Amino acid sequence: MKPLASLFISLVAGEAGTIVKHIRGAAIAYGLALIAALVGVSFLLLAAYLWAADRFGPINAALGFGAGFLVLAGVVLLAYRLSAKRRARRRAERRKSDLTAFAIAAGIAALPELLRSKEGLGTLLGPLAALLAYAVYRENFPSESKPEDTDASTRDPDQDVSS
């Protein structure tokens, strides 16, 4: 068994080294591409500024570019703020589903041990009986807090509303 474990460990370590080399190479390539893109965009902005300065004058061009970038920054921040609630709700849903999956997995893992002992069987049957009793109660006594359906489109047209 020990030779098999050492073979598995060396295989995983070798794969990890290969993955690290690939990630390092990709990071360098993407970093260089990002730098080149930023330089290209800078020159395009410079060319646009020089054209605007030639056409409208240097002060007007600088004011226009400054105002344009401030408006762009405002739009980006506004979009980020508007989407913050949606992102928070998505994170909460993901966290809830992760906790639910964890609880189910833990329950399934503990189930064989609980079924082997008398105390464990009682531990399982107690909440199950309570859940069944609650379901029967809800079926026979519906909640009073539910609003009645008073929508005009679902009312019987022959029914007198004034009385």
Side-chain angles (χ1 to χ4, degrees), residues 80-118:
Y80 179 78
R81 294 283 304 219
L82 290 176
S83 67
K85 288 182 182 179
R86 183 175 47 245
R87 285 190 314 271
R89 185 173 51 247
R90 207 175 297 140
R91 278 193 307 267
E93 288 172 359
R94 192 176 323 122
R95 197 171 27 251
K96 182 181 175 185
S97 70
D98 289 348
L99 287 175
T100 302
F102 177 73
I104 289 172
I108 289 173
L111 191 61
E113 188 63 34
L114 288 173
L115 290 175
R116 283 189 204 127
S117 66
K118 286 185 179 181

Side-chain angles (χ1 to χ4, degrees), residues 43-59:
F43 275 107
L44 287 175
L45 284 173
L46 179 64
Y49 173 77
L50 291 175
W51 174 82
D54 187 40
R55 183 171 175 129
F56 303 110
I59 297 292

